[in-house]
Amino acid sequence: MLGCEGEAVVRRWLTLVTGLLECLCFAGAVFGWASLVFVLKTEGYFSYLCVNTTGVNGTQFLDCSAQDEQFSLIFTIASFMNNFLLLPNGFLFDRFGTMVARLLGISMYTSGALFVAFSSSALSVLLFPALSCISVGGIMFLVTNMQIGNLFGSARSTIITLYNGAFDSSSALFLIIKLLFEAGISLRASFLFLAACCIIHLVRTFLLLPRTHIPYPLPEGYTYGINCGQTKTFSPEQTAAIASVQSEDVTEETPFSKESAEKVATFWECFLSKFFLWHLVWLSVMQLRHYLFIGTLNPMLQRLTQGEPSLVSTYTNAFAVTQLCGVLCAPWNGLIMDRHKGKPRAPGMSEKEADLRASVLSLTLTALQCVLFSICASTPFLPLQYLTFILQVLNRSFLYGGNAAFISIAFPPCHFGKLYGMLMALSAVVALLQYPCFTLVKGVLGGDPLYVSGVTVIRMTR
């Protein structure tokens, strides 16, 4: 039988693996929206918005632009809620801990799945609360799982980016639902199964995650969950104090004191720092580009394929399959950020300074990827979109993984939930521009997103 130390090692790895599977199978499903739209159109959702129209040459055709706008609005609201509600949820996570945050996330995700399961073409409006609930619940899975990186010190950034990559790859869940639908499995059955999976999430919450938080740096003797010894937990204030004294090369035996806790920067000091504000601008512009691409993918494919259903389905499937690669792409960004671990630091350089230096290459590479992705997406050549899909998933994995890792490096752990939530909430406000951009593309630009994409590229290169 394993001793207490052996049980702790097994528990940590079990926590890591099950958390990865949770993010991979559930967390970011909403970003596979293009696959689900294909199913919803087949089922006749919002079909009453399609009207017969006479073309310039006198031919009759079915104009479904109003239906596309409605689907785009659903995704816009869901993606906005995904980020904006991270602000109150981040405060909730920092204040009340993992268990309370996860119970909220599980209830939201399950409610969203049930809304879709009991929706129909006559109740298409249920998609609005459904996708928003799935979106908010999924991001809470990611936030509560990212702290697992604290259990693996030197590989912390790699694990954080790995979880973000799994979050990106989970968008393929809607592709699986689409394939099952084409094989005869109803939309209702698929989403009832997703709702039933709340049992798995609850088991992880109570058995494999702490009630409060996983501190960083990890104190000696720290345990959590069901174990053979007494659990040793720490409050966020104690965690911050330990991080402060260890960053000054003080031994772990240094006792906790209020003086050490007072050295930690306040939330508002972090929020108003140049690191945070410039990072907010960096994230907002690139996130808007990705949301606009996902929200307009189906209409774009309709235009490039002249409405050929088989080609639209083929390219939609290709996009969804490439999303699976997010979990493979993201860890490379973490390895870039962790590459200095274990190496001797320059004289006078703290570990935090070394981490920040390592993040510069990551952030620069991410911006370059986004420019290349935008250029390909702006080119009206159908076969080139395969390359666009690859660059999009690569860049998205680097973007969100690097974002979370940077916040965990640059600021005190006790403010992670609040700062991460504030960053995502403010970037969500910028992301609301995707809907007027979509309306502009569908209306004035006649379905051609070239000019909107070109403006985004210019903004990213400045």
Side-chain angles (χ1 to χ4, degrees), residues 2-9 11 221-233:
L2 293 172
C4 291
E5 186 175 345
E7 285 186 15
V9 173
R11 188 185 310 112
Y222 174 79
T223 56
Y224 63 95
I226 304 300
N227 55 79
C228 63
Q230 185 177 358
T231 300
K232 184 178 181 181
T233 59

Side-chain angles (χ1 to χ4, degrees), residues 417-438:
K418 296 185 286 292
L419 289 171
Y420 187 72
M422 182 70 80
L423 184 73
M424 300 304 286
L426 293 177
S427 66
V429 175
V430 178
L432 285 176
L433 292 173
Q434 66 182 290
Y435 187 68
C437 286
F438 177 81

Side-chain angles (χ1 to χ4, degrees), residues 88-165:
N89 288 340
F91 276 86
L92 181 78
F93 175 60
D94 283 348
R95 176 65 180 85
F96 296 103
T98 305
M99 183 176 293
V100 172
R102 281 184 62 83
L103 290 177
L104 174 64
I106 292 168
S107 63
M108 293 287 288
Y109 198 95
T110 305
S111 298
L114 290 174
F115 275 131
V116 178
F118 292 105
S119 67
S120 64
S121 58
L123 293 172
S124 302
V125 71
L126 285 178
L127 292 177
F128 283 94
L131 265 292
S132 293
C133 286
I134 290 174
S135 178
V136 174
I139 196 69
M140 288 306 294
F141 291 157
L142 174 64
V143 170
T144 55
N145 277 311
M146 282 193 294
Q147 61 179 326
I148 294 172
N150 296 347
L151 297 173
F152 298 87
S154 61
R156 184 187 182 206
S157 295
T158 302
I159 291 174
I160 290 174
T161 54
L162 178 64
Y163 275 118
N164 278 269

Side-chain angles (χ1 to χ4, degrees), residues 56 416 449:
V56 291
F416 176 80

Side-chain angles (χ1 to χ4, degrees), residues 266-424:
T266 65
F267 166 74
W268 288 109
E269 288 174 341
C270 296
F271 174 70
L272 296 174
S273 68
K274 62 178 182 180
F275 277 140
F276 185 88
L277 296 177
W278 278 113
H279 192 69
L280 172 63
V281 174
W282 177 84
L283 174 69
S284 297
V285 174
M286 284 189 280
Q287 180 174 258
L288 174 61
R289 182 67 193 94
H290 282 276
Y291 282 3
L292 184 62
F293 177 75
I294 295 172
T296 61
L297 178 62
N298 188 269
M300 182 191 76
L301 292 178
Q302 292 279 355
R303 183 176 63 87
L304 293 180
T305 62
Q306 285 75 50
E308 175 58 43
S310 60
L311 273 177
V312 173
S313 179
T314 298
Y315 276 84
T316 300
N317 290 350
F319 171 73
V321 168
T322 57
Q323 300 305 297
L324 285 170
C325 299
V327 71
L328 302 177
C329 301
W332 290 102
N333 195 16
L335 290 171
I336 291 173
M337 303 182 79
D338 281 336
R339 71 187 189 279
H340 70 283
K341 300 286 188 181
K343 296 181 180 179
R345 298 192 296 269
M349 180 183 289
S350 67
E351 182 177 0
K352 180 179 178 179
E353 290 173 335
D355 285 335
L356 288 173
R357 284 178 178 270
S359 67
V360 172
L361 176 60
S362 167
L363 300 179
T364 303
L365 185 59
T366 303
L368 178 60
Q369 290 169 350
C370 196
V371 171
L372 293 176
F373 148 64
S374 297
I375 292 173
C376 290
S378 304
T379 305
F381 182 56
L382 187 60
L384 183 63
Q385 300 315 306
Y386 287 119
L387 177 60
T388 302
F389 298 160
I390 294 171
L391 289 172
Q392 190 269 343
V393 71
L394 177 65
N395 181 239
R396 193 160 176 268
S397 297
F398 269 60
L399 176 64
Y400 289 108
N403 168 53
F406 178 80
I407 293 298
S408 70
I409 287 170
F411 304 104
C414 60
H415 300 316
F416 176 80
K418 296 185 286 292
L419 289 171
Y420 187 72
M422 182 70 80
L423 184 73
M424 300 304 286

